[in-house]
Amino acid sequence: MSNTPHELAEEFPAEVERMHALKTTDAHFAKLFDEYHEVNKAIHRAETKVEPVTDEHETMLRKQRMALKDEIAAKLRETA
């Protein structure tokens, strides 16, 4: 299978170690992290037609991914 774009390590390359640490010490961050990856994988499956969805559903997933990414970025800023 091809590489899934928009992985958090690609989105925040300088924060990989801190994200790993937060996943193990902050339950809320771990939940955000896991949820982001699930939504991102769903978007990738939709884009590659593995699991086709309506345009509206794909748009909703993209908005959800953006909101999760924003929340993760805010958490990274507050723990910097």
Side-chain angles (χ1 to χ4, degrees):
M1 181 173 238
S2 65
N3 180 42
T4 304
H6 299 285
E7 291 292 332
L8 287 172
E10 294 173 356
E11 299 292 323
F12 303 105
E15 306 294 348
V16 172
E17 289 181 27
R18 191 144 44 99
M19 285 190 293
H20 177 70
L22 282 169
K23 283 189 327 187
T24 62
T25 61
D26 184 325
H28 181 66
F29 185 85
K31 181 179 179 283
L32 291 173
F33 189 90
D34 291 343
E35 191 174 345
Y36 178 91
H37 282 288
E38 287 304 313
V39 171
N40 193 46
K41 287 177 189 175
I43 292 168
H44 183 64
R45 288 190 305 266
E47 289 174 341
T48 57
K49 307 296 186 219
V50 171
E51 291 181 25
V53 298
T54 64
D55 289 344
E56 293 81 14
H57 185 71
E58 191 171 335
T59 298
M60 184 272 307
L61 287 170
R62 289 176 187 279
K63 288 178 181 179
Q64 186 179 3
R65 178 177 64 189
M66 188 182 326
L68 288 164
K69 182 180 169 186
D70 288 347
E71 196 169 346
I72 289 167
K75 193 76 165 167
L76 289 169
R77 280 191 305 272
E78 83 180 29
T79 61

XYZ file of all heavy atoms in Angstrom:
652
model
N 0.844 -1.178 0.000
C 0.000 0.000 0.000
C 0.889 1.241 0.000
O 1.953 1.263 0.586
C -0.916 -0.029 1.217
C -1.860 1.151 1.295
S -3.049 0.967 2.615
C -4.520 1.089 1.644
N 0.390 2.270 -0.618
C 1.173 3.494 -0.707
C 1.208 4.233 0.623
O 0.438 3.959 1.534
C 0.577 4.406 -1.791
O -0.716 4.816 -1.406
N 2.122 5.178 0.710
C 2.261 5.996 1.904
C 1.014 6.862 2.108
O 0.517 7.469 1.181
C 3.496 6.888 1.750
C 3.724 7.773 2.948
O 3.574 7.335 4.082
N 4.090 9.002 2.706
N 0.528 6.899 3.343
C -0.621 7.737 3.656
C -0.143 9.162 3.899
O 0.655 9.392 4.805
C -1.357 7.216 4.913
O -1.715 5.857 4.699
C -2.591 8.048 5.205
N -0.600 10.124 3.088
C -0.178 11.519 3.300
C -0.785 12.107 4.569
O -1.732 11.578 5.126
C -0.700 12.237 2.062
C -1.657 11.326 1.405
C -1.457 9.953 1.950
N -0.221 13.189 5.014
C -0.689 13.966 6.162
C -0.487 13.261 7.503
O -1.202 13.539 8.463
C -2.156 14.393 6.008
C -2.400 15.254 4.819
N -2.036 16.581 4.782
C -2.939 14.965 3.612
C -2.358 17.072 3.596
N -2.905 16.119 2.872
N 0.477 12.362 7.578
C 0.791 11.758 8.874
C 1.337 12.851 9.782
O 1.973 13.805 9.327
C 1.817 10.633 8.704
C 1.272 9.404 7.987
C 0.225 8.651 8.784
O 0.245 8.696 10.033
O -0.621 8.001 8.149
N 1.097 12.726 11.078
C 1.524 13.771 12.015
C 3.039 13.968 12.021
O 3.508 15.086 12.214
C 1.005 13.464 13.419
C -0.498 13.680 13.586
C -0.959 13.156 14.940
C -0.860 15.144 13.429
N 3.805 12.928 11.799
C 5.264 13.068 11.746
C 5.677 13.952 10.573
O 6.690 14.652 10.651
C 5.931 11.699 11.645
N 4.899 13.945 9.498
C 5.165 14.823 8.354
C 4.665 16.240 8.625
O 5.269 17.212 8.183
C 4.477 14.291 7.097
C 5.009 12.972 6.607
C 4.178 12.403 5.470
O 3.138 13.000 5.108
O 4.561 11.357 4.951
N 3.555 16.339 9.321
C 2.954 17.644 9.606
C 3.761 18.423 10.652
O 3.842 19.646 10.586
C 1.511 17.477 10.093
C 0.587 16.807 9.083
C 0.320 17.659 7.863
O 0.197 18.887 7.992
O 0.247 17.096 6.753
N 4.329 17.703 11.630
C 5.100 18.320 12.713
C 6.441 17.599 12.872
O 6.691 16.972 13.905
C 4.323 18.246 14.039
C 2.971 18.879 13.999
C 1.823 18.104 13.943
C 2.832 20.258 14.031
C 0.567 18.682 13.919
C 1.578 20.849 14.008
C 0.443 20.062 13.946
N 7.323 17.661 11.877
C 8.562 16.875 11.935
C 9.466 17.209 13.119
O 10.154 16.330 13.641
C 9.252 17.170 10.604
C 8.627 18.422 10.096
C 7.242 18.477 10.671
N 9.450 18.440 13.575
C 10.303 18.833 14.704
C 9.715 18.401 16.046
O 10.382 18.531 17.076
C 10.515 20.345 14.686
N 8.494 17.896 16.039
C 7.801 17.566 17.285
C 7.602 16.066 17.491
O 6.878 15.661 18.398
C 6.425 18.252 17.310
C 6.459 19.729 17.095
C 7.147 20.489 18.224
O 7.413 19.905 19.287
O 7.430 21.675 18.037
N 8.242 15.233 16.693
C 8.013 13.789 16.757
C 8.308 13.241 18.150
O 7.484 12.499 18.717
C 8.834 13.048 15.671
C 8.766 11.545 15.849
C 8.343 13.446 14.286
N 9.434 13.597 18.715
C 9.778 13.082 20.045
C 8.799 13.569 21.104
O 8.389 12.804 21.983
C 11.208 13.472 20.416
C 12.255 12.728 19.626
C 13.672 13.114 20.016
O 13.888 13.540 21.167
O 14.553 12.993 19.152
N 8.410 14.837 21.023
C 7.482 15.377 22.017
C 6.104 14.745 21.867
O 5.428 14.468 22.855
C 7.384 16.890 21.918
C 6.635 17.472 23.097
C 7.171 18.803 23.568
N 7.476 19.714 22.497
C 6.672 20.698 22.093
N 5.532 20.903 22.695
N 7.033 21.495 21.120
N 5.678 14.496 20.628
C 4.397 13.822 20.426
C 4.416 12.435 21.048
O 3.459 12.018 21.704
C 4.045 13.741 18.934
C 3.578 15.059 18.358
S 2.892 14.938 16.691
C 4.341 14.494 15.725
N 5.521 11.718 20.868
C 5.641 10.388 21.470
C 5.558 10.487 22.992
O 4.855 9.705 23.639
C 6.946 9.717 21.041
C 7.149 8.384 21.674
N 6.372 7.294 21.336
C 7.996 7.976 22.640
C 6.762 6.270 22.083
N 7.739 6.655 22.880
N 6.254 11.445 23.562
C 6.228 11.613 25.019
C 4.825 11.968 25.495
O 4.345 11.419 26.500
C 7.230 12.691 25.442
N 4.154 12.867 24.792
C 2.804 13.257 25.188
C 1.813 12.097 25.072
O 0.903 11.975 25.892
C 2.317 14.441 24.348
C 2.863 15.799 24.734
C 2.516 16.844 23.678
C 2.325 16.221 26.090
N 1.997 11.247 24.066
C 1.107 10.093 23.921
C 1.181 9.191 25.152
O 0.188 8.575 25.515
C 1.473 9.264 22.685
C 1.014 9.853 21.397
C 1.199 8.925 20.203
C 2.393 8.027 20.283
N 2.654 7.259 19.079
N 2.339 9.133 25.771
C 2.504 8.241 26.915
C 2.162 8.895 28.241
O 1.948 8.197 29.234
C 3.939 7.674 26.978
O 4.855 8.755 27.141
C 4.283 6.887 25.722
N 2.091 10.232 28.289
C 1.850 10.917 29.562
C 0.543 11.700 29.609
O 0.131 12.120 30.689
C 3.003 11.891 29.879
O 3.080 12.882 28.838
C 4.323 11.160 30.003
N -0.102 11.910 28.479
C -1.307 12.736 28.423
C -2.404 11.962 27.685
O -2.367 11.822 26.467
C -0.976 14.046 27.698
C -2.125 15.033 27.671
O -3.294 14.605 27.575
O -1.844 16.235 27.736
N -3.379 11.472 28.442
C -4.441 10.645 27.857
C -5.237 11.405 26.801
O -5.622 10.833 25.771
C -5.366 10.130 28.951
N -5.489 12.688 27.033
C -6.242 13.475 26.051
C -5.456 13.608 24.746
O -6.017 13.449 23.653
C -6.590 14.853 26.612
C -7.374 15.701 25.665
N -8.655 15.385 25.278
C -7.052 16.836 24.990
C -9.087 16.291 24.412
N -8.131 17.185 24.226
N -4.157 13.865 24.852
C -3.332 13.968 23.649
C -3.310 12.625 22.917
O -3.420 12.581 21.689
C -1.899 14.406 23.982
C -1.069 14.628 22.757
C -1.100 15.838 22.094
C -0.276 13.608 22.247
C -0.347 16.039 20.939
C 0.485 13.801 21.097
C 0.444 15.018 20.442
N -3.181 11.539 23.659
C -3.162 10.208 23.040
C -4.464 9.955 22.275
O -4.446 9.411 21.162
C -2.943 9.135 24.098
N -5.602 10.384 22.848
C -6.891 10.223 22.178
C -6.940 11.061 20.908
O -7.385 10.583 19.860
C -8.018 10.620 23.133
C -9.404 10.470 22.564
C -10.444 10.859 23.608
C -11.843 10.750 23.075
N -12.232 11.845 22.210
N -6.490 12.316 20.977
C -6.443 13.173 19.793
C -5.566 12.561 18.707
O -5.928 12.541 17.525
C -5.891 14.557 20.143
C -6.736 15.471 20.997
C -5.924 16.714 21.377
C -8.012 15.856 20.285
N -4.406 12.072 19.103
C -3.444 11.467 18.193
C -4.073 10.275 17.468
O -4.017 10.176 16.236
C -2.212 11.034 18.997
C -1.052 10.586 18.164
C -0.087 11.496 17.747
C -0.891 9.255 17.827
C 1.006 11.084 17.000
C 0.198 8.834 17.078
C 1.142 9.748 16.661
N -4.689 9.378 18.233
C -5.307 8.187 17.640
C -6.476 8.554 16.736
O -6.628 7.994 15.645
C -5.777 7.228 18.735
C -4.622 6.576 19.479
O -3.476 6.595 18.969
O -4.870 6.055 20.583
N -7.289 9.507 17.177
C -8.433 9.933 16.377
C -7.977 10.569 15.064
O -8.545 10.316 14.005
C -9.297 10.906 17.181
C -10.628 11.194 16.553
C -11.536 12.046 17.424
O -11.269 12.193 18.636
O -12.517 12.569 16.874
N -6.920 11.393 15.131
C -6.379 12.008 13.918
C -5.976 10.922 12.921
O -6.309 10.988 11.736
C -5.172 12.888 14.240
C -4.558 13.502 13.002
C -4.968 14.746 12.539
C -3.589 12.821 12.270
C -4.423 15.301 11.389
C -3.037 13.365 11.120
C -3.462 14.595 10.686
O -2.928 15.141 9.531
N -5.267 9.902 13.405
C -4.802 8.848 12.502
C -5.959 8.051 11.904
O -5.910 7.684 10.726
C -3.797 7.936 13.197
C -2.445 8.549 13.277
N -1.622 8.712 12.187
C -1.772 9.088 14.304
C -0.509 9.309 12.540
N -0.572 9.558 13.829
N -6.997 7.809 12.686
C -8.153 7.096 12.148
C -8.840 7.911 11.054
O -9.193 7.373 10.004
C -9.136 6.750 13.271
C -8.644 5.642 14.175
C -8.307 4.366 13.425
O -9.115 3.921 12.577
O -7.210 3.823 13.676
N -9.047 9.190 11.299
C -9.688 10.057 10.301
C -8.793 10.184 9.072
O -9.274 10.108 7.934
C -10.013 11.443 10.901
C -10.471 12.425 9.827
C -11.069 11.310 11.995
N -7.500 10.349 9.283
C -6.571 10.473 8.161
C -6.585 9.212 7.292
O -6.588 9.293 6.063
C -5.162 10.772 8.672
C -4.243 11.214 7.561
O -4.592 12.052 6.746
N -3.057 10.637 7.534
N -6.617 8.052 7.934
C -6.676 6.793 7.173
C -7.984 6.680 6.405
O -8.002 6.207 5.266
C -6.497 5.600 8.109
C -5.079 5.447 8.598
C -4.968 4.296 9.573
C -3.593 4.280 10.217
N -3.480 3.241 11.252
N -9.093 7.121 7.008
C -10.384 7.084 6.321
C -10.358 7.984 5.085
O -10.883 7.611 4.027
C -11.502 7.499 7.269
N -9.737 9.144 5.214
C -9.614 10.057 4.071
C -8.765 9.412 2.982
O -9.120 9.440 1.801
C -9.018 11.414 4.496
C -9.997 12.160 5.393
C -8.656 12.264 3.271
C -9.394 13.364 6.093
N -7.668 8.806 3.356
C -6.794 8.151 2.372
C -7.532 7.017 1.659
O -7.436 6.882 0.431
C -5.536 7.634 3.061
C -4.557 7.010 2.127
N -3.919 7.726 1.137
C -4.099 5.738 2.021
C -3.103 6.918 0.466
N -3.211 5.710 0.983
N -8.302 6.234 2.409
C -9.065 5.140 1.786
C -10.113 5.708 0.824
O -10.344 5.137 -0.244
C -9.723 4.263 2.851
C -8.725 3.401 3.611
C -9.398 2.366 4.501
N -10.341 2.941 5.442
C -10.057 3.279 6.691
N -8.835 3.112 7.162
N -10.997 3.774 7.477
N -10.711 6.836 1.197
C -11.696 7.461 0.303
C -11.020 8.008 -0.953
O -11.526 7.826 -2.067
C -12.441 8.572 1.041
N -9.890 8.672 -0.783
C -9.170 9.252 -1.924
C -8.689 8.190 -2.904
O -8.661 8.426 -4.115
C -7.961 10.045 -1.436
C -8.292 11.328 -0.744
C -7.065 12.008 -0.144
O -6.025 11.353 0.055
O -7.176 13.207 0.145
N -8.280 7.044 -2.386
C -7.758 5.983 -3.241
C -8.853 5.026 -3.709
O -8.567 4.020 -4.354
C -6.660 5.189 -2.511
O -7.190 4.655 -1.292
C -5.449 6.066 -2.228
N -10.098 5.354 -3.360
C -11.282 4.582 -3.773
C -11.304 3.174 -3.182
O -12.023 2.308 -3.679
C -11.407 4.516 -5.304
C -11.373 5.863 -5.990
C -12.549 6.723 -5.606
C -12.558 8.001 -6.436
N -12.940 9.163 -5.701
N -10.534 2.933 -2.130
C -10.598 1.652 -1.426
C -11.950 1.555 -0.725
O -12.592 0.502 -0.725
C -9.435 1.508 -0.411
C -9.608 0.297 0.484
C -8.106 1.449 -1.155
N -12.379 2.654 -0.130
C -13.694 2.767 0.500
C -14.336 4.070 0.028
O -14.270 5.088 0.717
C -13.562 2.763 2.020
C -13.136 1.439 2.591
C -13.040 1.456 4.114
O -13.723 2.274 4.761
O -12.276 0.640 4.635
N -14.946 4.057 -1.155
C -15.536 5.282 -1.688
C -16.623 5.840 -0.762
O -17.376 5.089 -0.140
C -16.143 4.848 -3.024
C -15.476 3.555 -3.356
C -15.103 2.926 -2.048
N -16.657 7.154 -0.664
C -17.677 7.852 0.122
C -18.196 9.015 -0.705
O -17.615 9.381 -1.722
C -17.104 8.370 1.477
C -16.617 7.222 2.350
C -15.970 9.358 1.246
N -19.270 9.618 -0.236
C -19.802 10.788 -0.934
C -18.844 11.962 -0.762
O -18.041 11.991 0.181
C -21.177 11.193 -0.372
O -21.015 11.594 0.993
C -22.187 10.062 -0.497
N -18.940 12.916 -1.648
C -18.117 14.126 -1.542
C -18.376 14.841 -0.226
O -17.445 15.353 0.405
C -18.390 15.077 -2.711
C -17.847 14.555 -4.027
O -17.007 13.629 -4.003
O -18.257 15.079 -5.076
N -19.631 14.856 0.194
C -19.989 15.524 1.448
C -19.318 14.850 2.643
O -18.826 15.516 3.552
C -21.513 15.538 1.638
C -22.249 16.389 0.634
C -22.473 15.686 -0.712
O -22.294 14.445 -0.819
O -22.814 16.390 -1.680
N -19.311 13.514 2.643
C -18.688 12.785 3.746
C -17.173 13.017 3.760
O -16.579 13.222 4.822
C -19.003 11.289 3.652
C -18.493 10.505 4.808
N -19.037 10.595 6.073
C -17.468 9.624 4.911
C -18.374 9.807 6.892
N -17.419 9.197 6.213
N -16.567 13.006 2.580
C -15.127 13.246 2.508
C -14.800 14.665 2.992
O -13.826 14.865 3.714
C -14.628 13.041 1.080
C -13.115 13.022 0.980
C -12.606 12.602 -0.383
O -13.314 11.893 -1.121
O -11.472 12.994 -0.709
N -15.617 15.634 2.641
C -15.423 17.005 3.111
C -15.538 17.066 4.631
O -14.736 17.724 5.305
C -16.436 17.955 2.452
O -16.210 17.945 1.038
C -16.312 19.368 2.978
N -16.517 16.370 5.194
C -16.688 16.335 6.647
C -15.458 15.718 7.313
O -14.975 16.216 8.336
C -17.948 15.528 7.002
C -18.296 15.508 8.490
S -17.517 14.189 9.482
C -17.933 12.711 8.605
N -14.927 14.648 6.730
C -13.722 14.016 7.281
C -12.531 14.967 7.230
O -11.753 15.058 8.181
C -13.388 12.733 6.516
C -14.300 11.532 6.759
C -13.977 10.428 5.746
C -14.156 11.016 8.174
N -12.402 15.694 6.134
C -11.292 16.656 6.005
C -11.398 17.770 7.060
O -10.399 18.169 7.643
C -11.266 17.270 4.605
C -10.830 16.296 3.539
C -10.915 16.955 2.161
N -10.655 16.004 1.116
C -9.441 15.607 0.734
N -8.382 16.114 1.319
N -9.286 14.720 -0.222
N -12.613 18.245 7.293
C -12.812 19.271 8.322
C -12.495 18.717 9.707
O -11.900 19.415 10.541
C -14.239 19.804 8.268
C -14.503 20.673 7.062
C -15.942 21.152 7.028
C -16.195 22.009 5.800
N -17.601 22.465 5.743
N -12.884 17.474 9.936
C -12.591 16.839 11.219
C -11.080 16.700 11.411
O -10.553 16.971 12.491
C -13.277 15.472 11.282
C -13.158 14.775 12.608
C -13.886 13.438 12.613
O -14.437 13.002 11.608
N -13.882 12.787 13.755
N -10.376 16.284 10.346
C -8.918 16.144 10.425
C -8.275 17.495 10.717
O -7.356 17.588 11.543
C -8.353 15.553 9.124
C -6.835 15.428 9.147
C -6.273 14.785 7.902
N -6.525 15.592 6.722
C -6.284 15.187 5.477
N -5.786 13.992 5.249
N -6.540 15.976 4.460
N -8.756 18.553 10.070
C -8.197 19.881 10.282
C -8.411 20.339 11.730
O -7.500 20.887 12.349
C -8.826 20.897 9.314
C -8.154 22.254 9.358
S -8.899 23.505 8.269
C -9.451 22.587 6.869
N -9.590 20.084 12.266
C -9.875 20.472 13.654
C -8.984 19.704 14.621
O -8.458 20.278 15.589
C -11.346 20.236 13.967
N -8.788 18.417 14.371
C -7.911 17.619 15.229
C -6.471 18.103 15.136
O -5.778 18.220 16.156
C -8.001 16.134 14.847
C -9.291 15.438 15.238
C -9.437 14.123 14.476
C -9.342 15.204 16.735
N -6.023 18.409 13.929
C -4.660 18.912 13.745
C -4.475 20.230 14.479
O -3.442 20.444 15.122
C -4.352 19.080 12.259
C -2.944 19.547 11.981
C -2.720 19.682 10.489
C -1.439 20.396 10.195
N -1.271 20.669 8.770
N -5.473 21.106 14.413
C -5.400 22.382 15.125
C -5.310 22.157 16.634
O -4.550 22.833 17.325
C -6.604 23.260 14.800
C -6.572 23.826 13.388
O -5.511 23.758 12.728
O -7.626 24.317 12.939
N -6.082 21.218 17.142
C -6.063 20.933 18.577
C -4.728 20.323 18.993
O -4.183 20.656 20.040
C -7.214 20.005 18.941
C -7.502 19.972 20.409
C -8.793 19.276 20.778
O -9.639 19.021 19.899
O -8.944 18.981 21.972
N -4.184 19.454 18.162
C -2.860 18.869 18.440
C -1.801 19.954 18.422
O -0.932 19.996 19.302
C -2.555 17.742 17.426
C -3.448 16.523 17.730
C -1.079 17.357 17.433
C -3.472 15.466 16.644
N -1.844 20.839 17.438
C -0.873 21.945 17.362
C -0.966 22.827 18.597
O 0.061 23.235 19.148
C -1.111 22.758 16.100
N -2.179 23.107 19.056
C -2.355 23.937 20.247
C -1.758 23.234 21.470
O -1.096 23.862 22.298
C -3.833 24.231 20.476
N -1.969 21.945 21.579
C -1.423 21.178 22.699
C 0.104 21.183 22.656
O 0.757 21.326 23.697
C -1.969 19.755 22.647
C -1.752 18.947 23.857
C -2.724 19.370 24.924
C -2.747 18.303 26.003
N -3.414 18.769 27.201
N 0.664 21.073 21.465
C 2.130 21.122 21.334
C 2.669 22.496 21.717
O 3.720 22.587 22.355
C 2.542 20.755 19.900
C 2.361 19.302 19.512
C 2.549 19.117 18.003
C 3.306 18.396 20.286
N 1.954 23.555 21.349
C 2.387 24.907 21.715
C 2.323 25.107 23.224
O 3.224 25.714 23.811
C 1.533 25.959 21.017
C 1.910 26.217 19.583
C 1.226 27.440 19.012
N -0.228 27.402 19.144
C -1.071 26.860 18.254
N -0.588 26.310 17.156
N -2.358 26.895 18.453
N 1.283 24.599 23.863
C 1.129 24.838 25.308
C 2.120 24.026 26.140
O 2.386 24.383 27.274
C -0.303 24.582 25.758
C -0.657 23.151 26.039
C -2.097 22.967 26.471
O -2.965 23.749 26.084
O -2.349 21.993 27.212
N 2.667 22.974 25.563
C 3.634 22.157 26.303
C 5.072 22.466 25.899
O 5.991 21.812 26.368
C 3.367 20.652 26.099
O 3.491 20.332 24.717
C 2.002 20.275 26.628
N 5.228 23.445 25.018
C 6.583 23.782 24.545
C 7.419 24.421 25.621
O 7.004 25.020 26.537
C 6.495 24.714 23.346
